[in-house]
Amino acid sequence: MKEISQHYADVVALAEPTRIANVPLDEARGLVLGADVAARFAIPPFTNSAMDGFAVRAGDVTPGCELPVVADIAAGNHSERPFAPGTAQRIMTGAPLPEGADAILQVEFTRDAAHNMLTEPPATIVPTEAAAGLTRGTHVRTAGEDIEAGAPAFAKGTRLTPAHLAALAALGHAEAPVHERPRVGIIATGDELVAPGEELAAGHIPDSNSVLLRHLVAEAGATPVPFTCHSDTVESFLKGIRELLDGVDMIVTSGGVSAGAFDVVKAALASLGVEFTKVAMQPGKPQGYGRLADSTGRSVPIICLPGNPVSVFVSWKLFGDPILAHLFALPERSYESLFRPAIAAAGWSRKPGRTQFLPCVLNDDDGVPTTTAPTPLRVVPATAGGSMSHLIAALPLATGLARVPADVAEVHVGDPVDVLVF
Ligand code: AMP
Ligand code: MG
């Protein structure tokens, strides 16, 4: 049987980062910059006030003195009047500092402060004792103090968070040069499948894998492109594959890869160069992977997962997510880096032979559920049923997968185990 780490390396190597395109900021969250981005505008773009108050010359301000207020500057406006020494101009947060003023006297440090913020500016203001410390630059935000126009802002390879997108907007950009959001074609196979919610004829089951994969793909930030193929005929499956291929960056199938008489995926794709293999893991042993050419000859990675829902889930976590990360142009991760050390807080036994991935609940030291506590996390099996691959109803309880080495038959309380944290 094939080593899991070898299969991981093989499937991750199938994918290349998607094309670079200019994508509107509204659609760029989670995408990775394909080029360095520089500031079009400085931040702030002009010198402005950090407080509601009065633009002054610091040297003019002594507690108890009287300064005439000769202008009123709201955010979005600029002063109509050149600044004259010995005067003040009322100014709101974010409004441009008039040329010649060098400090902001905050309104709280003027006498009769409430009156000074009425719609009409006061004729004069009188600084209080609190204004004694005012110096040049007090509450002034200088143009370019965050970043200068033209300066490098974010490097190629940066994954865009909401904060990056806000910064890009502030820097004058409406779009970002990113690797396009990967589109993932999803195709579930099986004569027994019906759409969710439909009544079941004898032998039929709802197609839950399509739902699972669609949302795992979406959760990873990619765009799912589902295709319904509730059939085990090679013709209808291949028709589905051909329809999907042209518009996607990767395809994932479920079912039809094991040793059954009607294993359509294997029957249809083995002759097209897709490799089918047995990986030394439980669940998820039968796996397929390769590349298929679309109608233009572009080659698209495909992974073929087994049909049992828990197998699909485990396989996606181990192989699907890492391929997607590669399509996104995220840094490459090793197989081992998917796991964190943990400790078994309950024991379980299992049939040795293949590496086990057991859906589990992760707790902190006090038994409180967490996935973020410092190492080591404590691991409890999510279900009494172990990692049986058809137990989908219990899967939502799990917050991670515990990995048990192939030769271990018994996990005892206190044993170290590795976990893949969701
Ligand atoms: P297969 O590998 O096609 O033989 O499928 C293995 C098991 O997974 C069978 O019990 C199938 O009924 C089940 N299965 C396959 N596809 C799905 C699906 N889309 N949703 C739920 N169960 C499925
Ligand atoms: Mg099947």
Side-chain angles (χ1 to χ4, degrees), residues 286-303:
Q287 297 279 343
Y289 69 102
R291 288 201 178 103
L292 293 175
D294 76 359
S295 65
T296 68
R298 182 184 61 119
S299 122
V300 177
I302 178 165
I303 53 171

Side-chain angles (χ1 to χ4, degrees), residues 188-190 192-193 205-210 232 254-258 262-263 305-309:
T189 61
E192 73 277 35
L193 302 177
I205 57 166
D207 172 11
S208 59
N209 288 348
S210 292
D232 276 326
S254 94
V257 293
S258 45
F262 306 100
D263 281 326
L305 311 183
N308 278 305

Side-chain angles (χ1 to χ4, degrees), residues 201-358:
H204 284 191
I205 57 166
D207 172 11
S208 59
N209 288 348
S210 292
V211 177
L212 179 63
L213 285 167
R214 184 189 306 216
H215 291 289
L216 286 169
V217 165
E219 192 175 62
T223 304
V225 184
F227 187 92
T228 309
C229 175
H230 295 165
S231 159
D232 276 326
T233 67
V234 167
E235 299 70 48
S236 63
F237 174 71
L238 280 180
K239 182 168 171 284
I241 286 282
R242 274 189 220 102
E243 272 187 43
L244 275 177
L245 265 173
D246 278 336
V248 300
D249 302 296
M250 136 182 201
I251 291 182
V252 53
T253 68
S254 94
V257 293
S258 45
F262 306 100
D263 281 326
V264 64
V265 176
K266 210 172 177 175
L269 299 183
S271 59
L272 297 177
V274 175
E275 186 125 357
F276 291 89
T277 178
K278 289 188 171 66
V279 182
M281 57 192 275
Q282 192 282 313
K285 179 172 71 169
Q287 297 279 343
Y289 69 102
R291 288 201 178 103
L292 293 175
D294 76 359
S295 65
T296 68
R298 182 184 61 119
S299 122
V300 177
I302 178 165
I303 53 171
C304 306
L305 311 183
N308 278 305
V310 180
S311 310
V312 170
F313 186 83
V314 169
S315 304
W316 180 265
K317 289 287 171 192
L318 290 181
F319 309 125
D321 266 342
I323 300 180
L324 252 192
H326 209 164
L327 289 167
F328 269 103
L330 290 166
E332 234 167 272
R333 295 186 60 175
S334 69
Y335 170 64
E336 278 308 319
S337 77
L338 301 181
F339 300 94
R340 282 175 56 174
I343 296 215
W348 68 92
S349 47
R350 36 96 45 167
K351 192 168 131 257
R354 291 178 269 153
T355 300
Q356 182 189 33
F357 293 97
L358 182 71

Side-chain angles (χ1 to χ4, degrees), residues 366-418:
D366 303 320
V368 178
T370 178
T371 55
T372 56
T375 303
L377 289 165
R378 280 158 209 285
V379 168
V380 181
T383 71
S387 51
M388 299 280 283
S389 56
H390 58 291
L391 300 172
I392 183 74
L395 187 59
L397 300 173
T399 53
L401 293 175
R403 178 176 68 167
V404 183
D407 56 351
V408 172
E410 196 75 38
V411 177
H412 303 281
V413 174
D415 281 356
V417 276
D418 296 327

